[in-house]
Amino acid sequence: MFGVRKRIAYPNTGQASPQKPVIPTITYISIPLFGECHCALLDWLVDTINPQYPDLDELDLQAPRYVPASLDILTKTTRFSRREIQLIYRSFKQECPTGIVTAEKFRELYSQFFPLGDASYFARQIFQLMDQDMDGSVTFEEYLVVMSMLSRGSLDEKVQWVFNLYDSNGEGQLTAEKLTDVAVSVYEMLGSYTDPPWINETTIKDHVARVFSKMDTNQDGIVTFTEFKEFCITDEGVRRNFGVFDSSL
């Protein structure tokens, strides 16, 4: 998202698309529902270490209206080094020169990656997770904290983040309806660029029902975080999928 976009053409359309082999840092939403449904998002995090960038001694804080915290603070609140933060900030600022991201800008950035689909719902869910103070914008600090957790956090932290993605209203529990909403939104976002190709909503609901039944160990129609975590940790395929969040800058 933020940074250089590696794109190829959609078959028979001539439109640009993300380069499929690039694995996203923030949302590999096959966890735990979608098999090999790869979302080519946020390849910018890889791009930020591209050697084409010149050395940076300090953050350039003159252009944006919002000034992020100092490097010393950011290195203490994240798992990134000073150099990594400088490079990520440079890439962030290229897309968001004001130093913040609004919900509409966030949706626009997702739409650039998926022009054949509708990214509105999915982008809103991710934005709400990043907007920790719920003021309608995402600062560089908020953004960096999420990136740090997803790329270098513990498995427990990543499981909690994915759980929160599905738990759209923050109730602390999941229903089949919540999981279906996210599953449908992913296919809507990807449009015709899906693997497997678009399937109807009935098929998605059937698949969600099977997965949900495995999670819901006491079969009470609700999946708690404990049940969700147990499923993610014990299912070999799901646990392996969490590894896609890992990155080495």
Side-chain angles (χ1 to χ4, degrees):
M1 183 172 294
F2 300 119
V4 179
R5 296 178 185 79
K6 301 175 181 177
R7 294 176 179 267
I8 56 177
Y10 279 94
N12 303 320
T13 68
Q15 295 192 44
S17 72
Q19 186 177 13
K20 191 172 181 179
V22 178
I23 301 299
T25 301
I26 189 169
T27 49
Y28 182 82
I29 304 303
S30 59
I31 304 170
L33 299 178
F34 309 113
E36 293 303 310
C37 177
H38 291 186
C39 302
L41 304 176
L42 296 189
D43 54 351
W44 68 271
L45 190 56
V46 177
D47 292 325
T48 57
I49 59 167
N50 193 308
Q52 67 180 319
Y53 291 123
D55 289 336
L56 302 173
D57 294 328
E58 296 181 358
L59 294 177
D60 178 5
L61 304 178
Q62 296 180 1
R65 291 192 293 270
Y66 175 83
V67 179
S70 69
L71 276 172
D72 288 339
I73 293 176
L74 293 176
T75 54
K76 291 178 181 177
T77 56
T78 70
R79 298 172 175 90
F80 292 128
S81 68
R82 293 173 63 92
R83 172 65 173 167
E84 290 166 345
I85 294 170
Q86 289 172 329
L87 296 179
I88 294 172
Y89 181 73
R90 183 185 180 107
S91 187
F92 180 93
K93 192 178 63 174
Q94 286 178 344
E95 293 286 359
C96 306
T98 63
I100 62 173
V101 188
T102 64
E104 179 59 23
K105 177 64 174 179
F106 202 74
R107 185 196 63 78
E108 290 176 1
L109 290 169
Y110 265 69
S111 296
Q112 290 174 19
F113 271 83
F114 300 101
L116 300 186
D118 182 1
S120 300
Y121 180 88
F122 188 76
R124 183 170 68 249
Q125 294 301 104
I126 300 296
F127 184 85
Q128 289 175 350
L129 285 181
M130 288 189 167
D131 184 16
Q132 292 296 302
D133 58 7
M134 296 181 291
D135 65 350
S137 64
V138 171
T139 66
F140 178 66
E141 289 95 330
E142 289 173 321
Y143 185 78
L144 192 68
V145 166
V146 173
M147 292 298 95
S148 172
M149 181 274 297
L150 289 178
S151 62
R152 305 207 174 149
S154 67
L155 179 59
D156 284 355
E157 289 174 315
K158 297 172 186 177
V159 170
Q160 180 69 69
W161 193 87
V162 174
F163 179 87
N164 293 343
L165 172 64
Y166 291 128
D167 184 22
S168 56
N169 59 3
E171 290 181 326
Q173 59 189 25
L174 304 181
T175 62
E177 289 75 18
K178 288 182 179 180
L179 269 65
T180 300
D181 286 345
V182 175
V184 171
S185 74
V186 169
Y187 277 98
E188 288 179 345
M189 177 178 65
L190 294 177
S192 61
Y193 188 64
T194 60
D195 181 12
W198 167 257
I199 53 181
N200 61 49
E201 189 168 339
T202 299
T203 303
I204 294 177
K205 288 181 178 179
D206 290 343
H207 182 49
V208 168
R210 290 193 296 272
V211 175
F212 190 84
S213 180
K214 294 179 181 179
M215 294 181 183
D216 186 14
T217 54
N218 62 359
Q219 300 300 305
D220 64 351
I222 293 173
V223 170
T224 64
F225 175 69
T226 299
E227 289 174 316
F228 182 80
K229 178 181 175 181
E230 182 68 17
F231 173 79
C232 293
I233 291 177
T234 58
D235 185 284
E236 182 179 353
V238 173
R239 184 183 178 92
R240 183 172 59 251
N241 283 346
F242 271 97
V244 78
F245 287 117
D246 299 336
S247 73
S248 55
L249 294 182

